[in-house]
């Protein structure tokens, strides 16, 4: 049994259970109650598993069921090199990371009789270059990249001797079925590999329309395929799978002292032999149900009477039919097997610097959410103070409970000399930060950046230019396995982590979906490409000018529409103008197809995002229309008709200023604003200010007046230069002014204690807020500042909020150093119901949310997905350590604040520091010196670690020096 609070099972664990007959059946954990759905906003309770329940896929059928942990036995656990682990039954104990994983497996021949036990997976032959390799790293010469796409040529053989070749890119075999596949309909697919040699498939003969025939027979030939209907079936056997071409995104090159030409993006032919997969830990990735090749022993085909295996029959068939020259070169010695059981043994580097080998993986507990201040031997770190960019350290060992590290500091000298050792010392983990560029782990792909004078030369070869990290050493070096199958020790300054192309935005979207939530800049780039492309406009100069005029007018009109929600007549006029312009395009189909395509793309990529962004809506579906555009299947006539559909939708609807604007998708129409009829609002009365009292004067209505509470809100004439939104200059409409003053009145009455607000008389769109940390939380006695900007369309859209970070480290998962505030009410985080912003939401609701939902007792669980760790031993320990970090960061932030007070709150901050600065420090000191005193924190914190105390003593001194002038004033 696991320790209290431990989760016994994790996704991809191999488990077993007893059947009714007492036999063992095996399966994989697909999800658990704690890891099944990280989205905490799932509304349908049935989608969540009950506590202690797990969703299991049973081998080999793929049938899934929900089973209690008590009915399951853990057989094996998938742990890869660099995974962080601890021992089971020791939730507060030392952690470590996996350095190696050795897997022994049981194999069973597919459709055969041969079985093998305890086979080391290093002896298995992977099915090279298949779909599962997409996004995997590869190397060629001195270049590193990732696989973008793979095309394979599969040779199929018929029983009558006919043969043909098909390409995977043609999707020819998608409708064919594997005769040996035991997976039930809709079941879980254990194997990622789709095709392998000796596999038998059945399907319709007519689906081989794109096949290239190498040997035709009477019944199987190109003509019979063309004449076949779907009733005509066939059975084929795969005798060879050949990689036809591999598409690679080359994104990093080693520095070799000479110019190295980038390899071609499409690798084919003889160049494929030079392409190498960087998978030094591939043998550690196998699990139940994987299909592999295994060279058990040469099949016995000399004496037919001794043939025992279907694969033996396959080999005999290949030879009898004279298919050998078309078959896989190693077909006689390699047979396909499926893994039926695994047993993993893991090597671990523990934080205390000790290593251990051959630990059964079931004795280890994976740490999926490690603490940010958790370091391990071999890690490269900086000082948080950043005194010198040329100094870095390597962790020799770490004290998990004490929160300290023993490190060795290095000084980089020059490009031609190795780093120089400065000193060894014990440092608080709170005074360290992970190195920005030395982010190495076992398996990391690296390229050579330099060589020191005493390093061996590789002459003119590429043998030591691209490789993978095998091991992290505590002397400051790493063991690298290189492209040329050699190994060497290097310093981190000699190599760089390969650029990760996964961070790049995809240029093409194969399924035709657009992500308007990412960046509207994409649409601008697309339009810029359209404008810069001469080929599309080389028809007639007259047409080109007409298109440009239409482009400019339509975009400007739609921009107006997107911000004119409350101006009924203007919106109607805009819709009519759009309709008239688009209709004019359809007269006589004067424009060429390519021009119409450019216009339609411009509407979709540029206008639609503007409309959608203006309403706060993010989800759009333009799959069908974009697929047709990408494949150039739309004629000019159809495009004109689509544009008319868009204009008709504009014309048939009118705007509703009171309700949310809805985005609708109909047929071929792109996303448009659904507008509803509403009476025109009466003119908003003039707003006056007399002696600090806001008066709304209306000749027809009785005057309304109210006073602002000076303790909660104060007015300042001019927006200060340090206001983040200083340069935002929106227009102002009467409805906004009326709503603004209504909100100010409400804030004046209902703003809770601990929140102060500054409004600016010269600009009603900007505010500044001070929020005090809540009592009995790690944030007590802290002060936090936010700048707010109210867009012109507020409250239809949420405000924009900027957080003033006083220190270069986060003290809350929702508050970023760059100023971002992560909150569902602001649309910067997912939410449901009242958690999302609506036109009825208020500033008061926003400010209270920041105070009560962000500045909480256990902020650790505010991190996305971490809520699942509540009430677990790992979660409770991480929460306690996170609160240590909050107190330290808050101490340092207060030091900076005394010298960097946001304009307008100088008096409040000085008073706050004078009244609470000393109290704040004494409270923490009492927790260090007398942790058993009655005034214990109500949040997880004690006992405070040695690392905390070391860092706090330094931070305390800085804070005392900073607040001394205020204390004496």
């Amino acid at each position: 049994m696991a320790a209290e609070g431990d989760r016994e099972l994790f996704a991809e664990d191999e488990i077993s259970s007893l059947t009714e007959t007492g036999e063992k059946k095996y399966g994989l954990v697909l999800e658990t109650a704690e890891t099944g759905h990280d989205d905490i906003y799932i509304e349908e309770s049935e989608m969540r598993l009950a506590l202690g329940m797990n969703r299991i896929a049973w081998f080999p059928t793929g049938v899934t069921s929900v089973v209690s942990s008590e009915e399951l036995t853990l057989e094996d656990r998938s742990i890869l090199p660099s995974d962080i682990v601890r021992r089971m039954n020791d939730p507060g104990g030392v952690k470590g990371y996996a350095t190696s994983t050795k897997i022994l497996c049981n194999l069973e021949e597919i459709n055969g009789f041969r079985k093998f036990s305890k086979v080391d997976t290093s002896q298995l032959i992977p099915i090279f270059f298949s779909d599962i390799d997409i996004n995997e790293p590869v190397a060629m010469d001195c270049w590193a990249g990732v696989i973008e796409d793979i095309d394979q040529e599969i040779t199929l053989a018929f029983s009558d001797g006919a043969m043909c070749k098909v390409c995977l890119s043609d999707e020819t075999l998608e409708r064919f079925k594997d005769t040996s596949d035991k997976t039930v309909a809709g079941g879980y697919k254990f194997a990622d590999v789709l095709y392998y040699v000796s596999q038998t498939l059945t399907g319709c003969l007519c689906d081989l329309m794109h096949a290239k025939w190498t040997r035709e027979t009477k019944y199987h030939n190109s003509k019979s395929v063309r004449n076949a209907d779907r009733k005509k079936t066939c059975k084929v056997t795969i005798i060879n799978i050949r990689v036809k071409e591999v598409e690679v995104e080359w994104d990093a090159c080693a520095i070799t002292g000479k110019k190295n030409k980038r390899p071609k993006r499409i690798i084919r032919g003889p160049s494929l032999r030079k392409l190498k997969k960087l998978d030094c830990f591939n043998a550690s990735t196998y699990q139940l149900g994987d299909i592999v090749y295994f060279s058990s022993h040469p099949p016995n085909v000399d004496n037919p009477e001794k043939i025992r295996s279907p694969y033996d029959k396959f080999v005999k068939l290949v030879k009898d039919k004279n298919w050998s020259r078309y078959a896989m070169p190693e077909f006689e010695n390699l047979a396909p097997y499926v893994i039926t059981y695994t047993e993993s043994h893991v090597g671990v580097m523990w934080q205390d610097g000790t290593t251990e080998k051959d630990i059964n993986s079931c004795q280890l507990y994976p740490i999926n959410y490690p603490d940010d201040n958790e370091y391990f031997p071999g890690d490269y770190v900086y000082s948080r103070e950043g005194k010198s960019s040329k100094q870095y350290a390597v962790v020799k060992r770490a004290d998990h409970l004490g929160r300290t590290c023993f490190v060795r500091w290095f000084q980089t000298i020059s490009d031609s000399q190795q780093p120089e050792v400065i000193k060894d010392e014990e440092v608080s983990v709170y005074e360290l930060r992970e190195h920005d560029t030395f982010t190495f782990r076992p398996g990391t792909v690296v390229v050579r950046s330099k060589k020191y004078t005493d390093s061996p030369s590789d002459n003119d070869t590429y043998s030591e230019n691209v490789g993978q990290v095998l091991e992290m050493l505590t002397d400051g070096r790493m063991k690298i396995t290189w492209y040329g199958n050699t190994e060497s020790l290097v310093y981190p300054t000699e190599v760089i982590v390969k650029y990760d192309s996964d961070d790049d935005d995809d240029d093409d979207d194969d399924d035709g979906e657009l992500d308007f939530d990412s960046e509207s800049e994409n649409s601008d780039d697309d339009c810029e490409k359209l404008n810069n492309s001469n080929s599309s406009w080389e028809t007639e100069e007259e047409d080109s000018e007409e298109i440009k005029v239409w482009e400019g007018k339509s975009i400007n009109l739609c921009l107006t529409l997107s911000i004119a929600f409350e101006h009924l007549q203007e919106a109607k006029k805009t819709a009519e103008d759009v309709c008239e312009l688009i209709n004019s395009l359809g007269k006589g189909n004067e424009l060429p197809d390519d021009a119409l395509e450019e216009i339609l793309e411009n509407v979709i990529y540029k206008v639609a995002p503007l409309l959608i962004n203006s309403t706060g809506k993010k989800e759009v579906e333009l799959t069908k229309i974009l697929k047709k555009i990408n494949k150039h299947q739309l004629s000019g006539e159809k495009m004109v008709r689509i544009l008319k559909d868009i204009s008709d939708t504009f014309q048939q609807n009118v705007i509703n200023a009171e309700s949310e604007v809805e985005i609708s998708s109909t047929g071929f129409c792109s996303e448009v604003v659904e507008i509803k009829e509403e009476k025109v609002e009466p003119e908003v009365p003039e707003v006056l200010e007399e002696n600090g009292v806001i008066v709304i004067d209306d000749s027809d209505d009785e005057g309304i007046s109210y006073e602002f509470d000076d303790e909660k809100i104060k007015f300042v004439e001019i927006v200060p230069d340090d206001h983040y939104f200083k340069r935002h200059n929106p227009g102002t409409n009467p409805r906004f002014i009326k709503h603004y003053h209504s909100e100010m009145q409400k804030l004046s009455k209902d703003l809770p204690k601990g929140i102060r607000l500054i409004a600016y008389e010269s600009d009603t769109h900007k505010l500044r807020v001070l929020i005090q940390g809540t009592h009995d939380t790690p944030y007590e006695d802290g002060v936090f500042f936010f700048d707010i900007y109210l867009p012109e369309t507020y409250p239809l859209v949420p405000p924009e909020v900027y957080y003033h970070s006083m220190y270069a480290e986060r003290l809350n998962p929702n508050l970023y150093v760059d100023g971002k505030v992560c909150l569902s009410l602001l649309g910067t985080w997912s939410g449901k119901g009242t958690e999302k912003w609506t036109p009825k939401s208020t500033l008061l609701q926003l400010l209270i949310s920041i105070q009560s939902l962000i500045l909480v007792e256990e902020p650790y669980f505010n991190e996305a997905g971490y809520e699942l760790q509540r009430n677990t031993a790992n979660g409770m320990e991480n929460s306690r350590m996170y609160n240590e970090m909050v107190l330290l960061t808050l101490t340092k932030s207060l030091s900076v604040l005394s010298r960097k007070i946001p304009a307008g709150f100088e008096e409040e901050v000085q008073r706050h520091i004078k009244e609470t600065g000393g109290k704040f420090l004494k409270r923490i000191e009492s927790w260090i010196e007398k942790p058993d005193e009655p005034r214990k924190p109500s949040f997880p914190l004690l006992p405070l670690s040695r690392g905390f105390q070391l860092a706090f003593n330094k931070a305390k001194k800085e804070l005392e020096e900073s607040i001394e002038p205020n204390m004496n004033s």
Side-chain angles (χ1 to χ4, degrees):
M1 293 292 291
E4 183 179 357
D6 275 355
R7 274 205 313 272
E8 293 186 37
L9 296 177
F10 288 81
E12 297 191 356
D13 279 352
E14 182 180 325
I15 53 83
S16 67
S17 180
L18 294 178
T19 64
E20 294 180 356
T21 60
E23 296 180 355
K24 270 190 176 183
K25 62 176 181 178
Y26 296 91
L28 283 181
V29 177
L30 299 183
E31 57 181 282
T32 70
E34 294 81 2
T35 62
H37 295 287
D38 285 346
D39 185 357
I40 61 175
Y41 297 108
I42 293 177
E43 297 184 30
E44 300 180 14
S45 59
E46 62 267 24
M47 293 184 68
R48 291 189 176 214
L49 297 176
L51 191 64
M53 304 303 287
N54 312 274
R55 194 177 308 280
I56 308 297
W58 297 104
F59 179 79
T61 61
V63 172
T64 60
S65 61
V66 176
V67 186
S68 168
S69 297
E70 297 178 356
E71 301 176 38
L72 302 172
T73 301
L74 178 62
E75 297 287 347
D76 194 28
R77 174 157 282 164
S78 178
I79 294 177
L80 300 177
S82 80
D83 284 354
I84 298 175
V85 296
R86 64 165 170 81
R87 291 190 184 277
M88 296 288 282
N89 306 316
D90 191 12
V94 65
K95 296 180 176 66
Y97 70 88
T99 58
S100 63
T101 302
K102 179 181 179 180
I103 302 178
L104 301 178
C105 68
N106 293 352
L107 298 175
E108 184 176 309
E109 189 178 12
I110 296 178
N111 278 343
F113 310 103
R114 295 191 183 102
K115 296 181 180 181
F116 297 90
S117 301
K118 305 292 185 179
V119 177
D120 192 323
T121 53
S122 62
Q123 301 178 36
L124 304 180
I125 309 298
I127 297 181
F128 196 67
F129 284 134
S130 61
D131 289 343
I132 60 174
D133 293 313
I134 292 187
N135 294 326
E136 291 298 308
V138 290
M140 178 180 283
D141 296 335
C142 58
W143 281 86
V146 292
I147 297 176
E148 293 285 309
D149 197 10
I150 298 171
D151 195 9
Q152 295 172 299
E153 184 181 72
I154 299 179
T155 303
L156 306 174
F158 296 79
S159 58
D160 62 355
M163 280 190 299
C164 66
K165 296 180 180 180
V166 297
C167 292
L168 281 186
S169 57
D170 295 334
E171 301 178 352
T172 301
L173 298 180
E174 279 195 354
R175 293 189 179 184
F176 278 71
K177 295 182 179 180
D178 182 356
T179 58
S180 63
D181 188 4
K182 299 177 182 179
T183 307
V184 299
Y188 174 78
K189 289 283 187 181
F190 283 89
D192 291 320
V193 174
L194 297 178
Y195 306 107
Y196 54 88
V197 172
S198 80
Q199 184 180 22
T200 301
L201 306 173
T202 59
C204 297
L205 185 63
C206 62
D207 286 331
L208 297 176
M209 184 65 69
H210 299 289
K212 179 181 178 182
W213 292 85
T214 55
R215 183 184 296 175
E216 295 184 329
T217 62
K218 179 179 179 180
Y219 299 104
H220 299 106
N221 52 66
S222 56
K223 184 176 180 181
S224 64
V225 169
R226 288 195 301 270
N227 296 333
D229 57 21
R230 300 213 63 81
K231 294 181 180 180
K232 181 67 174 177
T233 61
C234 63
K235 179 185 288 188
V236 294
T237 301
I238 296 177
I239 62 172
N240 197 5
I241 300 178
R242 182 181 68 87
V243 178
K244 185 178 180 183
E245 61 183 36
V246 180
E247 182 179 355
V248 181
E249 175 68 31
W250 300 108
D251 49 24
C253 179
I255 298 174
T256 61
K258 59 183 180 181
K259 187 175 181 180
N260 298 293
K261 186 178 179 181
R262 184 189 297 266
K264 293 181 179 180
R265 185 179 181 89
I266 305 297
I267 309 298
R268 57 169 67 96
S271 296
L272 284 170
R273 298 192 190 100
K274 298 172 64 178
L275 189 66
K276 180 178 179 181
K277 288 169 62 177
L278 298 174
D279 55 358
C280 63
F281 294 118
N282 182 69
S284 303
T285 62
Y286 292 111
Q287 63 181 22
L288 180 70
D290 281 347
I291 296 176
V292 295
Y293 293 134
F294 179 57
S295 180
S296 52
H297 59 79
N300 185 353
V301 295
D302 295 332
N303 187 348
E305 296 178 358
K306 294 184 178 181
I307 294 177
R308 297 170 299 172
S309 166
Y311 195 74
D312 292 342
K313 295 179 181 178
F314 166 75
V315 171
K316 185 176 184 302
L317 179 66
V318 171
K319 291 186 174 182
D320 289 347
K321 296 290 185 180
N322 197 24
W323 291 340
S324 298
R325 68 190 184 99
Y326 300 102
M328 181 176 69
E330 297 292 327
F331 78 95
E332 291 189 63
N333 299 320
L334 295 179
Y337 285 79
V338 61
I339 296 176
T340 59
Y341 179 81
T342 60
E343 179 185 315
S344 302
H345 297 269
V346 183
V348 177
M349 167 69 80
W350 297 107
Q351 285 179 304
D352 60 8
T354 62
T355 59
E356 194 171 352
K357 296 183 178 180
D358 293 329
I359 305 174
N360 189 294
S361 63
C362 296
Q363 298 175 9
L364 298 174
Y365 182 95
I367 305 294
N368 293 329
Y369 302 102
D371 173 32
D372 289 340
N373 294 299
E374 206 79 77
Y375 296 105
F376 299 88
D379 283 351
Y380 297 105
V381 294
Y382 271 144
S383 168
R384 284 189 188 269
E385 303 304 324
K387 295 179 181 178
S388 173
S389 60
K390 292 189 175 182
Q391 289 187 5
Y392 70 92
V394 62
V395 176
K396 296 179 70 66
R397 65 181 186 274
D399 182 350
H400 168 69
L401 295 177
R403 306 294 279 167
T404 62
C405 286
F406 294 85
V407 302
R408 171 168 293 177
W409 290 98
F410 289 87
Q411 173 85 33
T412 56
I413 306 300
S414 67
D415 287 347
S416 61
Q417 291 180 285
Q418 295 179 355
E420 183 180 273
V421 177
I422 301 175
K423 62 178 179 179
D424 293 355
E425 70 170 336
E426 182 185 16
V427 186
S428 167
V429 297
Y430 300 112
E431 297 179 277
L432 300 174
R433 61 184 174 91
E434 185 180 11
H435 201 286
D436 294 334
T437 55
F438 298 168
T439 55
F440 304 102
R441 289 289 184 274
T444 300
V445 176
V446 298
V447 295
R448 176 78 72 175
S449 62
K450 67 180 71 170
K451 275 197 172 183
Y452 297 122
T453 53
D454 57 350
S455 297
S457 174
D458 62 357
N459 299 321
D460 294 328
T461 69
Y462 301 109
S463 62
E464 293 192 358
N465 285 321
V466 182
Q468 279 183 289
V469 177
L470 274 181
E471 186 179 354
M472 310 286 293
L473 306 179
T474 57
D475 66 356
R477 296 180 297 173
M478 301 174 291
K479 181 183 286 187
I480 307 293
T481 177
W482 297 102
Y483 169 75
N485 297 322
T486 61
E487 294 181 4
S488 66
L489 300 178
V490 301
Y491 284 95
T493 48
E494 295 181 75
V495 293
I496 57 175
V497 176
K498 183 191 74 63
Y499 172 70
D500 188 358
S501 65
D502 290 343
D503 294 337
D504 285 350
D505 292 327
D506 293 334
D507 294 332
D508 299 313
D509 199 340
D510 294 335
D511 58 8
E513 293 182 357
L514 277 180
D515 182 10
F516 287 133
D517 190 25
S518 54
E519 291 284 349
S520 60
E521 294 173 359
N522 293 341
S523 56
D524 293 337
D525 292 341
D526 289 339
C527 291
E528 185 178 352
K529 290 177 183 177
L530 297 180
N531 294 334
N532 294 335
S533 175
N534 295 325
S535 60
S536 298
W537 306 111
E538 291 176 356
T539 51
E540 292 182 16
E541 187 175 346
E542 185 178 352
D543 290 340
S544 177
E545 291 302 318
E546 183 179 357
I547 291 169
K548 289 180 180 178
V549 170
W550 184 88
E551 261 192 63
K553 287 186 178 181
S554 64
I555 292 172
N556 288 334
L557 288 169
C558 290
L559 269 171
T560 304
L561 182 63
S562 69
I563 63 174
F565 298 113
E566 298 169 312
H567 302 281
L568 177 62
Q569 298 304 323
E570 184 179 356
K572 282 184 177 179
K573 181 64 167 60
T574 300
E576 292 169 359
D577 289 346
V578 170
C579 174
E580 182 179 348
L581 282 169
I582 295 177
N583 285 337
S584 66
L585 290 174
K587 296 178 180 179
N589 286 333
E590 297 172 356
L591 299 181
D593 285 0
D594 55 355
L596 286 168
E597 184 174 333
E598 300 282 9
I599 292 173
L600 186 55
E601 285 188 350
N602 212 13
V603 170
I604 292 174
Y605 283 93
K606 191 162 187 176
V607 176
L610 292 171
L611 296 174
I612 292 160
N613 289 340
S614 68
T615 64
K617 298 288 183 180
K618 301 300 181 184
E619 297 179 358
V620 279
E621 290 186 2
L622 299 171
T623 306
K624 292 182 180 179
I625 186 72
L626 290 177
K627 275 188 175 180
K628 290 182 179 293
I629 289 175
N630 292 336
K631 294 182 179 180
H632 305 285
Q633 293 178 353
L634 291 179
S635 65
E637 185 179 352
K638 277 190 176 181
M639 290 187 182
V640 171
R641 191 161 62 248
I642 292 168
L643 291 171
K644 285 183 178 180
D645 287 341
I646 296 174
S647 70
D648 290 343
T649 308
F650 278 126
Q651 192 176 38
Q652 291 170 3
N653 302 286
V654 291
I655 209 160
N656 180 0
E658 293 293 334
S659 63
E660 283 190 275
V661 178
E662 300 175 1
I663 304 297
S664 62
S665 176
T666 56
F668 277 127
C669 294
S670 76
E671 304 299 308
V672 296
V673 178
E674 180 179 339
I675 312 168
K676 298 181 180 178
E677 187 83 53
E678 186 194 21
K679 295 181 180 179
V680 180
E681 288 290 326
E683 185 174 300
V684 177
E686 185 178 3
V687 179
L688 305 174
E689 180 179 354
E690 298 179 319
N691 300 324
V693 178
I694 298 299
V695 179
I696 299 178
D697 188 21
D698 191 339
S699 58
D700 297 329
D701 297 315
E702 186 178 348
I704 304 172
S705 65
Y706 54 90
E707 295 185 1
F708 288 112
D709 186 342
D710 288 338
E711 292 298 318
K712 296 179 179 179
I713 303 177
K714 67 176 179 180
F715 279 86
V716 176
E717 176 63 28
I718 300 174
V719 179
D721 291 336
D722 68 342
H723 197 289
Y724 184 76
F725 301 106
K726 169 78 173 180
R727 298 183 182 275
H728 285 51
N729 297 307
T732 300
N733 60 70
R735 179 179 289 276
F736 172 86
I737 293 294
K738 182 178 180 179
H739 188 87
Y740 170 82
H741 288 293
S742 174
E743 287 236 48
M744 290 298 106
Q745 184 179 19
K746 187 173 183 61
L747 287 169
S748 177
K749 294 178 181 179
D750 301 330
L751 205 60
K753 183 179 179 181
I755 301 180
R756 297 293 306 275
L757 187 144
I758 294 178
Y760 302 100
E761 296 173 354
S762 62
D763 193 337
T764 55
H765 290 273
K766 300 178 181 68
L767 302 166
R768 174 163 282 174
V769 180
L770 179 155
I771 299 180
Q772 291 178 300
T774 312
H775 183 62
D776 282 337
T777 70
Y779 303 101
E780 183 177 352
D781 293 332
V783 282
F784 308 90
F785 301 89
F786 303 87
D787 289 345
I788 297 178
Y789 167 69
L790 307 178
E792 181 182 358
T793 53
Y794 177 84
L796 292 176
V797 297
E800 295 180 31
V801 180
Y802 175 83
Y803 162 63
H804 283 269
S805 177
M806 297 296 162
Y807 189 65
E809 298 292 335
R810 286 170 64 183
L811 48 65
N812 189 286
N814 300 81
L815 304 177
Y816 289 71
V817 174
D818 64 3
K820 178 182 177 181
V821 179
C822 195
L823 194 66
S824 56
L825 200 60
L826 295 173
T828 51
W829 179 242
S830 57
K832 65 177 182 180
T834 57
E835 295 171 352
K836 293 183 178 180
W837 185 272
T838 71
K840 295 182 180 180
S841 301
T842 64
L843 281 173
L844 179 63
Q845 181 185 356
L846 171 63
L847 298 180
I848 292 176
S849 294
I850 293 175
Q851 186 183 52
S852 60
L853 298 181
I854 293 180
L855 305 176
V856 294
E857 291 183 345
E858 296 190 75
Y860 173 80
F861 297 114
N862 280 15
E863 190 68 70
Y866 285 19
E867 179 68 24
L868 298 171
Q869 295 184 58
R870 278 196 186 274
N871 302 318
T872 68
N874 193 57
M876 289 186 286
E877 178 67 6
N878 283 350
S879 178
R880 183 186 70 80
M881 292 188 291
Y882 192 92
N883 285 340
E884 276 195 355
M885 182 275 299
V886 170
L887 285 180
L888 278 174
T889 307
L890 186 58
T891 305
K892 296 176 181 179
S893 296
L894 288 172
S895 299
V896 176
L897 176 62
S898 62
R899 306 185 300 270
K900 184 185 172 184
I901 304 174
F905 282 124
E906 292 85 356
E907 182 181 342
E908 289 84 352
V909 171
Q910 290 171 1
R911 184 169 65 247
H912 175 83
I913 291 176
K914 185 174 183 179
E915 293 176 356
T916 64
K919 183 181 69 172
F920 171 76
L921 292 175
K922 287 180 180 178
R923 184 170 65 252
I924 297 176
E925 288 174 339
S926 69
W927 289 338
I928 295 174
E929 298 169 1
K930 301 176 182 179
D932 295 328
E933 281 194 350
R935 178 70 167 90
K936 291 181 180 180
S938 60
F939 49 89
L941 182 67
L942 304 181
L944 290 166
S945 67
R946 169 173 164 75
F948 174 86
Q949 296 175 39
L950 290 174
F952 175 74
N953 288 336
K954 294 180 181 180
K956 172 191 170 185
K957 185 177 179 180
E958 294 176 2
L959 179 57
E960 287 176 335
E961 293 174 354
S962 300
I963 66 176
E964 186 176 359
N966 292 299
M967 301 296 287
N968 297 330
S969 62

